[in-house]
Amino acid sequence: GGSGFVALRILRGLRLARIIRVMRLMHLLSDLRSMIGSIVSTLRSLFWTVLLLVLIMYTAGVHLTQLVSDYERRNPGSVTPGSDLHRFFGSVGRSILTLFMSISGGVDWQQVVDPLVIYISPAMAVAYSGFIAFTQFSMLNVITGIFVDSALRNSREEMDLGMTSYLTSVFRPGQITLPEFEEKVGDPKMAAYFKSIDLDVSEAKYLFQLLDINDTGSVDTQDFVMGCLR
């Protein structure tokens, strides 16, 4: 008797622990799905960002390579393999790679600009500083803002999708009456959603009245769900 009761309690405890573990796993999977969705939603922005960045670096790289080539023609044998000018700007490809490393931290850009200042012109310091300033402080900051906005929009869509599924499962198809709404509005998940749209639970009744445009005391379930997501 007593030992059987203890064993039963242990089994119930183990079952509860397993349920809690599964709930935690589902929560983690939900976060993972949201993260993957946010990353996927930024891929189109990433494509255009990379294309724009490559175009800017290509234009600047062609110009820098041309300047180094002109210097080599004026001073034959000055740009030898292994020299800084040849290593950083010996070809268009090298110039583009150097520019990319300069803005991404792959190389100290002062190390890159010094040979340009010494052998080409002191004005190259101003031009190269302008390139770094434009890409770092203007372009990349704007791009970061675009990515963050895209991720937030995707997160909002995920939340709306989850709330739509929740509302359609809580309220039966057809009409929602005010007493039924007041009974369900105290649910923690609904309270959290109303908080996310800056609506206090105590003001939720006014939302129902706002959706009840015919003043019938009931609202169609689909109209209610759409109204909550606006």
Side-chain angles (χ1 to χ4, degrees), residues 5 7 30 32 50 78 81 90 136 158 168 170-171 182 190 219 222:
F5 179 72
S30 176
L32 178 62
V50 171
S78 58
Q136 289 281 3
E158 283 277 338
T168 52
V170 169
F171 296 105
E182 291 177 336
M190 284 199 69
V219 178
Q222 186 175 357

Side-chain angles (χ1 to χ4, degrees), residues 60-167:
V62 168
H63 183 65
L64 291 171
T65 305
Q66 186 63 47
L67 288 175
V68 173
S69 297
D70 292 343
Y71 174 77
E72 185 178 15
R73 277 199 298 270
R74 292 194 304 270
N75 304 274
S78 58
V79 184
T80 58
S83 65
D84 287 340
L85 283 178
H86 183 271
R87 184 158 56 98
F88 293 131
F89 307 104
S91 65
V92 175
R94 286 176 180 267
S95 297
I96 293 174
L97 180 61
T98 299
L99 291 170
F100 178 73
M101 290 193 299
S102 296
I103 64 177
S104 62
V107 66
D108 185 352
W109 65 272
Q110 183 179 1
Q111 179 184 355
V112 172
V113 79
D114 279 346
L116 292 175
V117 172
I118 295 172
Y119 298 108
I120 306 299
S121 170
M124 294 304 301
V126 177
Y128 209 90
S129 298
F131 170 80
I132 296 296
F134 172 74
T135 53
Q136 289 281 3
F137 304 135
S138 178
M139 181 179 172
L140 293 183
N141 282 339
V142 170
I143 291 169
T144 301
I146 293 173
F147 284 167
V148 170
D149 179 69
S150 179
L152 289 176
R153 186 167 60 249
N154 180 77
S155 177
R156 178 68 182 184
E157 290 174 355
E158 283 277 338
M159 187 175 68
D160 287 347
L161 185 62
M163 183 46 87
T164 300
S165 177
Y166 170 73
L167 290 175

Side-chain angles (χ1 to χ4, degrees), residues 156 160-161 163-164 167 193 224-230:
R156 178 68 182 184
D160 287 347
L161 185 62
M163 183 46 87
T164 300
L167 290 175
Y193 179 76
F224 175 76
V225 172
M226 296 303 298
C228 287
L229 298 179
R230 288 175 186 169

Side-chain angles (χ1 to χ4, degrees), residues 169-223:
S169 65
V170 169
F171 296 105
R172 66 182 187 277
Q175 297 292 317
I176 305 173
T177 62
L178 182 57
E180 183 181 2
F181 172 74
E182 291 177 336
E183 177 187 349
K184 302 293 186 181
V185 80
D187 186 278
K189 194 168 184 178
M190 284 199 69
Y193 179 76
F194 286 138
K195 185 178 181 181
S196 70
I197 60 175
D198 296 325
L199 183 66
D200 191 82
V201 175
S202 61
E203 300 173 340
K205 180 178 178 181
Y206 298 107
L207 172 64
F208 186 90
Q209 293 174 345
L210 182 65
L211 296 174
D212 184 15
I213 55 177
N214 296 323
D215 198 24
T216 60
S218 63
V219 178
D220 184 77
T221 302
Q222 186 175 357
D223 291 341

